[in-house]
Every structure is written in C-alpha cells, then in structure tokens.
Amino acid sequence: MKSKNSLKNNNRLWEVAKKYIPGGNMFLSKRPERFLPKYWPTFYKKSKSCYVTDINNKKYTDMIMSIGTNILGYAEPNVTKAVIKSIQNGNMSTLNCVEEQLLAKELIKMHSWSGGAKFARTGGEANAVAIRIARASSGRDKVAVCGYHGWHDWYLSSNIGDNNKLNQHLMNNVPIKGVPKSLKNTVYPFEYNNLIQLKDIIQRNEIGAIKMEVKRNFEPKNNFLEKVRKLADDNNIVLIFDECTSGFRQTFGGLHKHYKIVPDIAIFGKALGNGHAINAIIGKREVMEACNSTFVSSTFWTERIGPTAALATLDVMEKNKSWKVVTSIGKKIKKKWRLIADSNKLDLEIKGIEAIPNFTFKSKNNLAYKTFITQEMLKRKILASNAIYCSISHNKNLLENYFNILNDLFIKISKFERNSENFNKVMETKTCIGGMREDNK
Ligand SMILES: Cc1ncc(COP(=O)(O)O)c(C=O)c1O
C-alpha cells in the first residue's frame, strides 16, 4: 500500500499557539496530541459540508465533524443564510431576541412532557444551570451522576478525595486543582447499568438530582432507564438527561424519546445549532419554575445567532429527516467495521450511539493502532480516528473510499498483531493520548 502524501510537521504553530494560550483553548477532545502528535493540521481556514481546508490550503474529508456539532455538515446553506440575516439585522440589542421564544416553543412541542426552557451557550454551562434548577427544585444539594457533563466545579468535585471516580465517565486522573475541597461528598458517580450502586448512593445520601447520559457506549440493560426513573420518582429526585451529545441523532429530539423514558429536565447542545453556540435546558413546568427562586442569568444568553441557527437547523433536520439518515449511516459503518475486522481476524470492540460509532482494538497496542490509522488516513487527506460523528454529508462514495483505505490498514494491523511486520518501523510520530473514557495505555 503506497501513501499518496507525506505528512507536514505542524508542531511549530501549535507550540506558538500554546505560548499565548496555555494548553490551547479548544475542547480537550480536539487537542492535536489526541489525534496525531506533530502532524495533526490543528488550524483551519474553511469548512464546508464534510470538508475542511487547513491553513496550508490542504483539503480534508472530515469523519470527526468537530466532535459532533454538525449533523447537517459545515456551513449548511439554510442555517448560514438565517445566521447572516440575523447578523445584518443586528445580533444584539438592549431588547431581547424573539427567536429564543420561538425555539422554546419548538422544543416544548417536540417534547410534550416539558413546559419550560432556558438557553445557554455551552454544554458545561447548560449542565450547571440544570443542576442549579434541580437543587433549587428538590431542596437537596447532593447529586448522583453518570457520564460526562462538562468542566464545572460541581461535576469535577466528584474526584475530591478519590481521583479515580471519574475514570470511566471522563478520563483517568482528571486534574482538579482549584475545585473547592469543601465540595467533597456532594456528587457521586455511578456506573451505567449499575442500579445497585445507584440505589446504594441514594440510600446513603440526601440526593436531590440524578444526572446522566441516556446512553453513550452501551445499551441500557434490564430496563435500566425505567428503573432509574422509578427510583427518582420514589425518592422525589429530579432526573436530568444530559443529551448534549445524544440529542437529534436518533430521534427528532432527545434519545430518551427512543427509549420512551421521560426525564424532569433534558439538556441539548452540540448539534442543536449545527455548529453555532446554543444549548437548551428544557424541563417540566413545575421543576423549571425553580428558576424564579435562584439567580441564573447571562449577558450573552439573548444573543441572536444561537437561537436563530437552532431554529433553522431544526427546520432543515425536519425536512431531511437527518436523524434517520445519520442513524442509518452509523449502522452501516458498524456493520462494515465488523466485516473488515473479522475478515482480517482482528478482535474489535464496536460501541456507541448508532450515529456516533466507535471502535477499540482488544490489543495492548490499541492506542498505537489508532494513531497509525490517523496517520495513514491523514496522508490520504482524511481526518479520522476511532470514532465517527455521522453527518448527512457523509455520502456513499466518500464512505466507500474510507472503507477501502481502512481495510488496507486493518490488513497491516493484522500483520503487526501477528508480529509478521514491524509496527515501530511504520510509525512516524509518538502514540496519541487516549480520548475521553479511553485508557492511556
Ligand atoms: C454529554 C455531554 N455533556 C456536556 C458536554 C459539555 O459540553 P461543552 O463542551 O459544550 O461545554 C459534552 C461535551 O462533549 C457532552 O458530551
């Protein structure tokens, strides 16, 4: 297999960026070291559909889609048009934008159990708002959590006194310096599908809120979601589904609609504005009324681009039935991964929400193989790792090309696994750092 391109060392620019912005400013999952140390293109000039042009004018096909913000593809024409119009007409004023009301109405219509909405700009922020509302509503401070919910103190405090508590929800040894130690024993993580553990947490503590992702990597087992709902009801606990990532990928709205389990609060982000900053917190009317007994407020919450983009996004999603399209693409990807892994006798674990499939090699070299795939895909102008955030712009031809390349790489990896070829010889850089919920072995 011959590579079409050599890799360009992009480290210098990234090092310069870190001089001005310690650690870089991006979402942790977008850090170059988490893809391909030294060679990851890092900075972009233009994005359109599922193509990204870097600052050296190299154009790539993107399988990662900004970690899930653009189900409809980058710069979707209808969304962009609506946003441009809102900018031309003034995206900000002393008066508030009417688009947020319209968006609240739409989201409530889509989730008939809900009766109120608030809006924020980021997922972490929306999660903090939801926790505040839940604590105010239940009158109890303690929280049981499962999944990833952002960078704020309330969530990271889970690790005070035991730095392993968030290992399977976020990553091993999350650094938490600066999170007040006084928050110790306020938030208790539980494993997905582990009802006994959740019951135990509720029995031992005055839990006011349960916050969880509806599903991330594994299917709910033994009616897990129904049982969590019942536990919340029996103990007067506010149940929050964090659908920042799962929302709009399998249904037109929350993934909870698919499982037919209703929360008290749901949070949507990422895909809601198709790349524009908007997050929604929707909830049952009586729970959301707690907003009036606490201070939640922000200057930029009435900024117009976010809700305008969300309204246009929902419109295009509804017309295209995008949740059906991306779910079908994701299912095909999972099937094809299984096929080429089996035909190359590779032990591959395949997981994830249908529209966000991911794989792991059951090998001590998992991370090294993942890095190798990114390295070789990059040479063929594809931004790829071990997870795909499906977009309606991932068409058949593009996927076929991706699978042909991946099959060639799996043939190689199969040889590395059987020691019939030397892996170290083909690696042109260091192994990447593991992603969220991934061991750094
Ligand atoms: C389920 C979930 N909640 C919250 C967040 C945090 O959102 P943000 O990065 O916009 O702050 C994420 C981001 O990946 C997420 O997946």
Side-chain angles (χ1 to χ4, degrees):
M1 182 178 55
K2 267 195 140 183
S3 344
K4 291 201 178 114
N5 287 282
S6 59
L7 294 168
K8 182 177 163 53
N9 184 343
N10 284 308
N11 217 23
R12 203 185 55 81
L13 264 178
W14 174 222
E15 288 306 319
V16 171
K18 283 193 285 187
K19 268 193 195 162
Y20 296 101
I21 306 172
N25 202 46
M26 71 276 284
F27 184 31
L28 182 96
S29 301
K30 282 194 190 178
R31 286 178 69 102
E33 297 88 347
R34 294 190 178 262
F35 294 106
L36 192 66
K38 194 165 154 186
Y39 296 117
W40 192 246
T42 309
F43 299 104
Y44 84 107
K45 202 178 212 174
K46 193 178 165 191
S47 62
K48 178 79 189 158
S49 178
C50 58
Y51 301 100
V52 177
T53 308
D54 75 5
I55 52 170
N56 298 311
N57 291 320
K58 275 198 170 177
K59 190 174 171 183
Y60 305 92
T61 302
D62 191 350
M63 307 306 284
I64 301 160
M65 299 305 292
S66 185
I67 325 287
T69 51
N70 287 69
I71 287 178
L72 306 177
Y74 299 122
E76 198 286 329
N78 295 290
V79 179
T80 303
K81 196 169 146 201
V83 166
I84 289 174
K85 193 170 162 210
S86 82
I87 294 171
Q88 283 168 340
N89 285 333
N91 75 308
M92 204 33 144
S93 93
T94 306
L95 306 184
N96 301 307
C97 77
V98 78
E99 285 81 0
E100 61 182 8
Q101 272 185 55
L102 300 174
L103 181 58
K105 229 168 112 181
E106 276 294 307
L107 292 172
I108 290 167
K109 196 170 87 187
M110 223 178 265
H111 301 91
S112 54
W113 54 269
S114 67
K118 298 284 276 187
F119 298 103
R121 287 299 176 270
T122 74
E125 185 191 21
N127 269 273
V129 170
I131 284 294
R132 176 72 68 71
I133 294 172
R135 281 171 165 163
S137 171
S138 68
R140 277 163 278 143
D141 295 346
K142 297 194 175 179
V143 179
V145 287
C146 178
Y148 173 59
H149 306 293
W151 65 273
H152 289 67
D153 284 355
W154 76 266
Y155 176 63
L156 295 188
S157 71
S158 312
N159 260 16
I160 298 170
D162 179 353
N163 223 20
N164 295 311
K165 286 282 178 69
L166 290 174
N167 285 6
Q168 57 168 272
H169 304 282
L170 172 46
M171 60 184 181
N172 289 351
N173 301 315
V174 190
I176 57 160
K177 219 169 172 184
V179 175
K181 292 183 188 61
S182 55
L183 292 178
K184 187 176 175 184
N185 294 335
T186 52
V187 178
Y188 299 86
F190 63 96
E191 287 169 7
Y192 195 75
N193 278 331
N194 191 340
L195 196 76
I196 294 171
Q197 189 185 24
L198 177 60
K199 270 186 184 162
D200 186 57
I201 289 170
I202 291 170
Q203 260 161 22
R204 287 167 190 263
N205 304 282
E206 295 264 294
I207 298 292
I210 299 172
K211 169 172 285 179
M212 61 184 293
E213 292 185 68
V214 177
K215 172 192 163 175
R216 191 78 188 210
N217 274 329
F218 305 102
E219 271 305 312
K221 280 189 201 146
N222 302 323
N223 301 322
F224 182 61
L225 295 173
E226 283 94 324
K227 287 174 184 167
V228 172
R229 175 70 270 179
K230 182 158 183 339
L231 263 182
D233 286 341
D234 292 349
N235 294 280
N236 274 324
I237 294 170
V238 176
L239 176 61
I240 307 167
F241 284 160
D242 177 356
E243 297 234 33
C244 275
T245 287
S246 58
F248 300 95
R249 293 188 202 270
Q250 203 154 336
T251 75
F252 190 39
L255 181 57
H256 66 268
K257 285 170 81 171
H258 171 75
Y259 292 107
K260 300 190 171 53
I261 304 296
V262 165
D264 300 306
I265 295 177
I267 307 165
F268 302 110
K270 299 253 187 194
L272 179 58
N274 201 52
H276 300 86
I278 180 79
N279 270 252
I281 306 109
I282 65 166
K284 291 183 178 162
R285 185 77 210 177
E286 62 277 18
V287 176
M288 294 302 277
E289 283 295 345
C291 292
N292 295 318
S293 62
T294 184
F295 182 77
V296 279
S297 156
S298 175
T299 306
F300 280 105
W301 283 352
T302 51
E303 181 279 331
R304 200 184 209 172
I305 295 173
T308 301
L311 284 168
T313 299
L314 295 181
D315 194 41
V316 180
M317 280 180 168
E318 197 171 14
K319 283 188 182 126
N320 289 347
K321 307 268 180 287
S322 54
W323 61 96
K324 290 190 179 166
V325 180
V326 290
T327 295
S328 153
I329 292 173
K331 281 184 178 166
K332 282 184 195 142
I333 290 172
K334 281 185 173 177
K335 223 167 134 181
K336 191 78 185 183
W337 278 347
R338 171 61 55 224
L339 205 79
I340 62 172
D342 288 353
S343 67
N344 290 297
K345 299 194 172 44
L346 284 169
D347 197 357
L348 200 73
E349 187 175 25
I350 297 171
K351 303 177 294 227
I353 294 167
E354 303 305 350
I356 316 177
N358 69 80
F359 64 77
T360 311
F361 294 98
K362 289 196 159 175
S363 157
K364 63 179 186 341
N365 292 326
N366 172 51
L367 272 188
Y369 295 156
K370 174 181 159 185
T371 317
F372 172 68
I373 290 171
T374 302
Q375 172 184 292
E376 296 305 307
M377 286 281 178
L378 196 67
K379 287 180 187 169
R380 290 155 186 84
K381 300 210 177 138
I382 299 175
L383 302 177
S385 181
N386 64 336
I388 296 183
Y389 286 82
C390 298
S391 153
I392 58 169
S393 50
H394 287 136
N395 63 39
K396 208 172 148 203
N397 289 346
L398 172 161
L399 287 170
E400 225 158 81
N401 180 43
Y402 163 83
F403 283 123
N404 286 337
I405 298 169
L406 193 72
N407 188 43
D408 286 347
L409 300 178
F410 275 21
I411 292 171
K412 285 235 161 214
I413 291 170
S414 177
K415 288 182 183 162
F416 302 144
E417 267 301 86
R418 279 150 195 82
N419 292 319
S420 61
E421 250 180 58
N422 186 346
F423 179 62
N424 293 327
K425 265 190 171 162
V426 298
M427 283 310 293
E428 297 175 33
T429 184
K430 287 191 291 199
T431 296
C432 71
I433 297 169
M436 282 191 183
R437 306 173 174 92
E438 194 169 47
D439 280 342
N440 271 312
K441 283 176 206 143

